[in-house]
Amino acid sequence: MVRLENLTKEYDLPPVKGRPAQVVAADRVNLQIADGEIYGFVGPNGAGKTTTLKMICGLLVPTSGIVEVQGIDVEHRPEDALQFIGYLADFFSLYDDMKVWEYLDYFARAYKMPAHQIPARVTEVIAWVGLESKRDAFIQGLSRGMKQRLGIARAVLHNPPVLVLDEPASGLDPKARVELKDLLKNLNRDGKTILISSHVLSDLEEICTSVAIMEKGHLLRSGKLAAVMEQSTETAAKRRIRIRVAEVSDQLMEWLSARDGVTEAHPSAKIIPGSSSVDFLFSGSDSALAALVKELVVAGAPVCAVEGSAESFEQIYARLSGGEVM
Ligand SMILES: Nc1ncnc2c1ncn2[C@@H]1O[C@H](COP(=O)(O)OP(=O)(O)O)[C@@H](O)[C@H]1O
Ligand SMILES: [Mg+2]
């Protein structure tokens, strides 16, 4: 479990007109991340993701607040905490003139792993990240996606239960992104708790169990992905719903128009021969919509399909942050 309590980081900036200046990169962030989660930190550049992740890893001292990893206070016992954490920075350098296995062997030694365990461990992590065929290849010849996976292999060398990955998908092509997602899902299935940041929302939406939406140092929303989306749609603007029915009747239109949250109900133009549909605006959560559809079916309406332009995570994010989706 990773626990953040009022975690705050202020950076000093160059004085403005002789006055000291600060930026609050993380402002009283409270968060609990349970074991087994893939927890996504999402927000535009400058939101405070990197700052927060670095404090979690003990690489940056908080101005105030607490970080605990597996019950250990990271600020006061960074070395103990680091045993539980594997960290991959947003920009990391690899030694181009080393071979893949040499690089991992080098770090395993730097981590002071018992020498006799190292060869088997290096082989194991190479297999984990799917670089078996590149074991003896020089790092400089690897694709960006492979380099990213090698970075992850290094981060899991000491078999930490928690992995912290800062924007690991940035700069990867679509295929490498898919491979990265598969790798993270596998690591998660093998028991790793993963904290991952990205401004590429669709990447997180697919793999995360929970998300924290950050902007300008503030946590705007956090929690289980479904709950964050649900909570957000409750306050959402109206969305357009289309229900396809075998036949539109006056009775159906009256019934619909009388429902809570339904406005502007009207039969729509026939799009498929033999099938009719009704369009309306709906304000309410997904579960409220589900209840309405259920009632409709129970009342005997010939429902064939329901199509909604449900808000995507990106739209929710854009609305919450009041900013642009990146
Ligand atoms: N070392 C630093 N010194 C001063 N300001 C910094 C430093 N690192 C980050 N910041 C500022 O803190 C804010 C958060 O940055 P960061 O944590 O890197 O956000 P993100 O990773 O979400 O892009 C930004 O306004 C950034 O300019
Ligand atoms: Mg960052």
Side-chain angles (χ1 to χ4, degrees), residues 147 160 184 225 304:
K147 285 182 179 172
L184 297 182
L225 187 62
C304 309

Side-chain angles (χ1 to χ4, degrees), residues 44-51 53 90-91 166-167 197:
N45 289 331
K49 305 180 297 292
T50 296
T51 299
L53 295 180
D90 45 357
F91 300 104
D166 197 359
E167 305 250 5
S197 72

Side-chain angles (χ1 to χ4, degrees), residues 2 33 39 41 53 56 162-165 193-197:
V2 177
I33 299 169
Y39 214 107
F41 288 75
L53 295 180
I56 292 173
V162 180
L163 265 181
V164 177
L165 310 172
T193 303
I194 299 175
L195 280 58
I196 176 175
S197 72

